[in-house]
Amino acid sequence: MNKRVTDTRSKSKNDIEEDPEIKKVAHANNSSQFVLLLILIVLFGLTLFCALFYIGKYYETRKKVTGDAELIEISKESNKSLITNNGPFETVIDDTSSEDIFIESFANAEIETDAKSKKDGVLVFDVKYEILKNDFRYNIIPNINSDVVVRFSYSFDNEEWTSIGNVLSTTTSTINPLMSNYYDVGGISGVINVATNYRLSSKPNEIKRIYWKSETLIKNTTDTVGKTFTANLKIEYKESA
């Protein structure tokens, strides 16, 4: 009668020889999982950073806009544009002092063109200075000593400013520049066309911005006490491509 004998010593030896291989496979799996986890952490970090960056940029823009301000957003297939108007301002001369009143008002526009776009993005707009109320004296002959004068400037970096000195138009007349490119707007009401059909363009993968500023100077004298001046510098969207 044949007896079947199992060699337990041989089995144990094989098990001992296989252990290092199993450990290698397990170690390789752990390494792969660690690398994958590291990649996921990096991707999550980048996504979070980008999200916080754009959210911060959005709220930073919102903080600069107060009162009756407005944001105009235009989205196209290959570009997007943003127009920011800070809204109207009002000044009432309630007392005389040794200093005149100086008011700055701002509006800006930007256009961003997609990197895959085959052409430049273009934003077309008008810049207007609308005088809503003007109690000050009108001068038949414009002069720099008017109760109210205003100057208009633009900048591409919000630091270096260039004032315009061309003839401006209203619905009924034209206004010529005076000394230092100021315009006499005493007694004038309605819309003054500062820039018409202005074209702002950006190349693919480029953001282009322009800033506009009005500087309104109002005389503070005994003759102007109780008078009101209300105006609004604004950018009006026309078209984009």
Side-chain angles (χ1 to χ4, degrees):
M1 185 177 190
N2 293 330
K3 290 185 180 181
R4 186 174 180 179
V5 178
T6 303
D7 190 346
T8 57
R9 290 177 302 170
S10 176
K11 184 177 181 181
S12 297
K13 183 179 179 181
N14 290 336
D15 288 343
I16 293 172
E17 290 177 350
E18 289 176 358
D19 284 346
E21 298 300 325
I22 294 174
K23 289 181 179 181
K24 285 183 181 179
V25 173
H27 179 72
N29 289 337
N30 289 337
S31 299
S32 299
Q33 291 175 357
F34 176 77
V35 172
L36 180 61
L37 179 61
L38 185 61
I39 292 173
L40 290 175
I41 291 174
V42 172
L43 290 176
F44 175 78
L46 289 174
T47 303
L48 181 62
F49 172 79
C50 292
L52 291 176
F53 174 79
Y54 284 107
I55 291 172
K57 182 180 178 182
Y58 172 79
Y59 281 104
E60 182 181 356
T61 303
R62 295 290 300 185
K63 285 180 182 178
K64 295 179 181 178
V65 181
T66 58
D68 296 324
E70 65 175 351
L71 290 176
I72 303 171
E73 297 180 88
I74 307 101
S75 295
K76 294 286 186 176
E77 183 177 353
S78 59
N79 60 70
K80 56 183 178 181
S81 305
L82 177 66
I83 293 174
T84 306
N85 292 319
N86 282 343
F89 62 89
E90 181 177 89
T91 297
V92 180
I93 308 298
D94 54 9
D95 195 6
T96 58
S97 68
S98 59
E99 295 183 356
D100 294 334
I101 297 174
F102 182 76
I103 306 166
E104 289 185 324
S105 185
F106 298 88
N108 60 275
E110 70 175 52
I111 180 169
E112 179 180 1
T113 303
D114 189 90
K116 298 180 181 179
S117 177
K118 296 181 179 179
K119 61 179 182 178
D120 295 354
V122 178
L123 173 65
V124 183
F125 57 83
D126 292 340
V127 181
K128 298 183 177 182
Y129 184 79
E130 184 177 12
I131 302 176
L132 305 170
K133 187 174 183 180
N134 190 349
D135 293 339
F136 295 86
R137 182 178 65 250
Y138 174 76
N139 298 306
I140 297 177
I141 301 177
N143 66 85
I144 194 64
N145 294 317
S146 172
D147 289 339
V148 187
V149 293
V150 61
R151 179 168 59 188
F152 304 101
S153 306
Y154 65 89
S155 172
F156 293 103
D157 59 8
N158 205 19
E159 293 182 2
E160 302 259 345
W161 291 88
T162 302
S163 59
I164 65 172
N166 51 293
V167 177
L168 305 183
S169 65
T170 69
T171 54
T172 58
S173 63
T174 57
I175 307 176
N176 293 303
L178 302 171
M179 186 185 302
S180 300
N181 289 329
Y182 275 101
Y183 297 84
D184 181 357
V185 295
I188 295 176
S189 61
V191 174
I192 298 175
N193 298 306
V194 180
T196 304
N197 291 329
Y198 193 98
R199 298 172 67 87
L200 182 67
S201 62
S202 67
K203 298 183 180 299
N205 200 32
E206 179 187 37
I207 300 176
K208 198 69 174 287
R209 297 183 180 90
I210 188 169
Y211 305 84
W212 286 87
K213 175 176 66 173
S214 65
E215 301 168 277
T216 307
L217 183 63
I218 303 175
K219 292 294 178 61
N220 189 356
T221 66
T222 54
D223 294 333
T224 60
V225 172
K227 294 184 178 181
T228 301
F229 184 84
T230 307
N232 183 23
L233 176 70
K234 59 182 179 180
I235 293 174
E236 288 190 354
Y237 168 75
K238 297 195 75 173
E239 63 178 305
S240 56

